[in-house]
Amino acid sequence: MLRRRTVTAACALVIGAITAMASPAAAAPNPGAAPVISAVKPPPAMLEAMTRDLDLSTDQAEVRLVNEARAGATESRIRADLSDSYAGSWVTGDTASTLVVATTDASKISSITASGVQAKKVDHSLTTLNAAKDALDRRAAAAPRTAPVWYVDVRSNRVVVLTSQPAQAETFIAASGVNRSLVSVQLSTEQPRTYYNVRGGDAYYINGSSRCSVGFAITRGTTNGFVSAGHCGRAGNTTTGYNQVSQGTFQGSSFPGNDYSWVAVNSNWTPVPYVNNGSGGNVTVSGSTVAVVGASICRSGSTTGWHCGTVQQLNTSVTYSQGTVSGVTRTNVCAEPGDSGGSFISGSQAQGVTSGGSGNCTSGGTTYFQPVNEILSTYGLTLVTSGGGGGTCSGYQSTYTGSLSSGASAYQPNGSYYTTTVTGVHRGCLDGPTGVDFDLYLQKWNGSAWVNVAQGTSPGPDETVTYTGTAGQYRYRVHAYSGSGSYSLGVTRP
């Protein structure tokens, strides 16, 4: 059969101002059917850990996972609509039944609540809070040991500095030049430390001595490997696996400042899209969509196995004895030495690698993880997922996953669309299952209908598109031309 020609980059730069909608009377974008949240039965070990650590019943844990997936889909759409007035979001309730979205613009309240979401009017946008935290980050070298942690807390709409000596923290804040009204100082006895001690969560050994844990399996071209914490090893250090068999070599490492690394493994090791579930089984990794504040999250490590908690704050800076690490996520999941580098996962979505924390898994504690998407982007790595296709997409802002039967289509992000207010480059990358023919289309709303502006239609499972366009509403259509299975879609937008 004669196959269609591939058009991987249909580029168009339109000069002049174009409004997103043709006129007030024009129809609003219709993204298609509402997204369906598929309820995949979570593994027993995950449910057991959630019931133990979050004090839930098994039914409540299952409901919570479904609610969190739905919240992530809804939050992504609302965040795009709010633009600069967005001030963060979080879920509440034992089963994450309520999504709260904060905004600085009172006129946006009605549109938020119309989506079935609770709205909160606050004084400071997330952009403003992140800028304040950045100011503290620039003074990280001067931060006192008594103030080891600071983060953006969307619930309180402040940057929080944790300290055992408030006076010393105040001096640090003043030296940063940040607006004091944006910062809240809180008493804390936290003394974070790194956990020095290729399936995610499995043990590996550095230079035949210290032990850490595998984060997630990755590929880089034809090279296989895994990501882990930066403090576990430096470029050139050798590793052996959990069975003490020769494994690989650190290719890149950053610590402090960041806390990430990646290891290239030899031909004896094969990367798989799994995380050790702590009881002899696996949790499948299908993507790396970031979990919202308040979402449940679980960690796998070679010392303490599988433990769960919730996301407390994104964009946190934490000071260890070796220096400050910025941009990590704060959780109330426990961890202990040897868990360093291990997997943080929410549902089936990879979140990051264990950095350090305080406390232990007997009395409880706080643990920080380095987000995995930053590691992938920095080193040009591809996360190994259940999407099939060998993992062809890395370094994209957002990742979406789904499953299609032959002839069917799905629309991303999450059955909806996104809005951009500037001219810029849109990039999409589709990773489909081996042996099928999946296609990818980028569509733009022209005021009355969705129009294809870029497409990838090669006779295979994987596609990429690049398009330079003006402000407006956009969405991706993933089409199963032939064959069925799961896919992963990486998206970067202006």
Side-chain angles (χ1 to χ4, degrees):
M1 185 179 77
L2 182 63
R3 190 65 171 95
R4 301 148 293 162
R5 290 184 60 84
T6 301
V7 182
T8 58
C11 300
L13 178 60
V14 181
I15 308 299
I18 296 180
T19 58
M21 309 302 295
S23 70
N30 178 9
V36 176
I37 306 300
S38 58
V40 178
K41 186 77 171 179
M46 176 184 284
L47 290 176
E48 290 172 8
M50 291 180 70
T51 58
R52 178 193 66 213
D53 298 336
L54 297 175
D55 194 24
L56 302 172
S57 68
T58 300
D59 288 343
Q60 287 175 320
E62 292 179 344
V63 169
R64 179 171 185 131
L65 289 172
V66 173
N67 286 343
E68 289 169 353
R70 184 179 293 112
T74 303
E75 187 271 349
S76 178
R77 182 177 68 253
I78 295 176
R79 179 174 187 158
D81 291 340
L82 292 179
S83 187
D84 292 342
S85 71
Y86 176 77
S89 57
W90 58 95
V91 291
T92 64
D94 288 344
T95 58
S97 57
T98 302
L99 172 64
V100 184
V101 176
T103 180
T104 58
D105 188 347
S107 68
K108 300 288 188 179
I109 297 295
S110 59
S111 65
I112 295 174
T113 55
S115 300
V117 173
Q118 183 175 320
K120 182 176 181 180
K121 168 67 171 62
V122 296
D123 295 328
H124 312 296
S125 70
L126 186 59
T127 298
T128 298
L129 295 176
N130 283 338
K133 180 185 168 292
D134 289 345
L136 295 177
D137 288 347
R138 289 191 289 270
R139 296 285 301 179
R145 290 294 307 278
T146 55
V149 178
W150 55 94
Y151 51 79
V152 173
D153 182 21
V154 293
R155 292 184 181 93
S156 66
N157 198 229
R158 293 291 186 276
V159 176
V160 173
V161 177
L162 300 183
T163 181
S164 60
Q165 298 292 329
Q168 294 181 16
E170 292 290 355
T171 300
F172 167 54
I173 295 167
S176 73
V178 70
N179 183 338
R180 183 60 183 81
S181 67
L182 298 174
V183 182
S184 172
V185 175
Q186 296 182 9
L187 279 173
S188 171
T189 58
E190 276 197 43
Q191 287 297 319
R193 66 193 189 281
T194 48
Y195 295 135
Y196 278 99
N197 274 315
V198 166
R199 177 182 61 171
D202 284 350
Y204 71 97
Y205 299 86
I206 303 92
N207 291 338
S209 57
S210 58
R211 172 172 57 88
C212 276
S213 302
V214 173
F216 296 94
I218 56 87
T219 61
R220 186 182 185 187
T222 59
T223 301
N224 295 328
F226 62 87
V227 294
S228 190
H231 71 263
C232 288
R234 296 301 186 199
N237 290 164
T238 60
T239 70
T240 53
Y242 63 90
N243 52 6
Q244 299 290 359
V245 171
S246 176
Q247 183 187 62
T249 306
F250 279 85
Q251 304 296 303
S253 177
S254 178
F255 177 79
N258 306 295
D259 195 5
Y260 51 62
S261 63
W262 81 281
V263 174
V265 298
N266 59 43
S267 59
N268 292 326
W269 296 82
T270 301
V272 292
Y274 303 128
V275 170
N276 187 332
N277 71 0
S279 60
N282 297 315
V283 174
T284 300
V285 179
S286 62
S288 57
T289 300
V290 177
V292 300
V293 171
S296 64
I297 193 165
C298 296
R299 177 198 55 73
S300 181
S302 60
T303 298
T304 60
W306 190 262
H307 286 272
C308 298
T310 59
V311 176
Q312 301 296 290
Q313 286 87 22
L314 309 177
N315 191 17
T316 299
S317 292
V318 56
T319 303
Y320 304 116
S321 61
Q322 302 91 334
T324 299
V325 176
S326 298
V328 294
T329 298
R330 185 171 187 256
T331 76
N332 61 2
V333 185
C334 71
E336 295 180 9
D339 289 328
S340 280
S343 325
F344 264 89
I345 189 166
S346 183
S348 66
Q349 299 298 306
Q351 299 299 310
V353 300
T354 303
S355 174
S358 56
N360 55 52
C361 287
T362 299
S363 60
T366 299
T367 303
Y368 303 87
F369 69 80
Q370 173 76 56
V372 70
N373 286 335
E374 181 180 355
I375 312 175
L376 301 177
S377 178
T378 298
Y379 293 123
L381 309 174
T382 298
L383 184 69
V384 176
T385 71
S386 61
T392 59
C393 308
S394 65
Y396 288 78
Q397 289 174 345
S398 304
T399 302
Y400 306 96
T401 59
S403 182
L404 289 173
S405 57
S406 184
S409 292
Y411 297 91
Q412 298 288 2
N414 303 308
S416 186
Y417 61 93
Y418 64 90
T419 302
T420 178
T421 58
V422 297
T423 294
V425 178
H426 304 250
R427 297 172 55 235
C429 180
L430 174 66
D431 175 20
T434 303
V436 306
D437 183 359
F438 279 14
D439 295 332
L440 180 63
Y441 301 85
L442 176 64
Q443 300 180 328
K444 185 178 182 183
W445 183 253
N446 70 359
S448 58
W450 290 102
V451 177
N452 293 335
V453 292
Q455 62 191 48
T457 56
S458 67
D462 306 326
E463 304 290 352
T464 59
V465 297
T466 302
Y467 175 75
T468 302
T470 55
Q473 284 81 31
Y474 293 85
R475 71 179 184 181
Y476 284 91
R477 176 193 175 206
V478 181
H479 176 61
Y481 183 80
S482 65
S484 305
S486 299
Y487 67 87
S488 176
L489 175 66
V491 172
T492 295
R493 59 199 194 195

